[in-house]
Amino acid sequence: ITCESATGIAITARDTRMDSMTTGKDSGGQSGVKYTLNGGGYISQTTRLFGLGKTKDNKNIGSYAVLIDSNNISASNGSQTLAVSIAGADAAYPLAVDQSYYYTFVKPGETTPTPVTNAIIPLQVSASIANDLGGSEKIELDGKAVISVVYL
């Protein structure tokens, strides 16, 4: 993200395929999307999973989660590198799918958004495919998340 002048910003996300969200189970019977960032785990909260679209037979394909790699974000204000972290509702969890959560830059120990001119927010995308799709037909994944920058 590049801004012409130092600005408080946040990111938010929404799912345009929300009606196609479903979760599968792995070989150990664990339901949800497995992720490795921020300590790792499984996420099965529907408010955190984006849909992967539908098959030709109108079956839900699966879901995916988008996580902020909070250990590798970077931000600056002009030539000054800033020590920042991501703050927001449940910042250690995957992005929410309904634009109800905002994620912003803050200095360590603070809650006020820090103005930035440049920011890099690495993301991890992890998916889970439904178990009951059947057949050997090729299935096109059609998930679509919109990640927006909001000026504060």
Side-chain angles (χ1 to χ4, degrees), residues 41-58:
Y42 286 85
I43 188 76
S44 57
Q45 291 174 293
T46 58
T47 59
R48 304 287 180 166
L49 296 174
F50 296 80
L52 280 173
K54 296 182 180 274
T55 66
K56 291 178 184 176
D57 296 330
N58 208 34

Side-chain angles (χ1 to χ4, degrees), residues 2 11 26 30 46 61 66-67 69 91 102 106 128:
T2 302
I11 63 169
D26 66 15
Q30 180 68 46
T46 58
I61 297 170
V66 180
L67 289 97
D69 182 353
Y102 293 86
V106 295
S128 172

Side-chain angles (χ1 to χ4, degrees), residues 82-129:
L82 301 172
V84 294
S85 60
I86 289 287
D90 300 326
Y93 291 101
L95 298 180
V97 301
D98 62 359
Q99 290 186 306
S100 62
Y101 291 86
Y102 293 86
Y103 305 87
T104 189
F105 295 97
V106 295
K107 291 180 181 175
E110 295 185 11
T111 57
T112 304
T114 299
V116 299
T117 55
N118 293 291
I120 297 174
I121 308 169
L123 302 174
Q124 179 188 65
V125 177
S126 300
S128 172
I129 305 299

Side-chain angles (χ1 to χ4, degrees), residues 8-89:
I9 60 170
I11 63 169
T12 188
R14 73 180 165 87
D15 185 5
T16 65
R17 304 286 191 268
M18 192 178 294
D19 67 330
S20 70
M21 194 288 301
T22 190
T23 59
K25 289 187 178 183
D26 66 15
S27 59
Q30 180 68 46
S31 180
V33 173
K34 183 178 182 179
Y35 62 95
T36 58
L37 289 177
N38 308 327
Y42 286 85
I43 188 76
S44 57
Q45 291 174 293
T46 58
T47 59
R48 304 287 180 166
L49 296 174
F50 296 80
L52 280 173
K54 296 182 180 274
T55 66
K56 291 178 184 176
D57 296 330
N58 208 34
K59 290 183 179 179
N60 293 350
I61 297 170
S63 57
Y64 65 101
V66 180
L67 289 97
I68 295 172
D69 182 353
S70 58
N71 293 324
N72 290 300
I73 62 166
S74 64
S76 63
N77 185 348
S79 62
Q80 178 188 10
T81 300
L82 301 172
V84 294
S85 60
I86 289 287

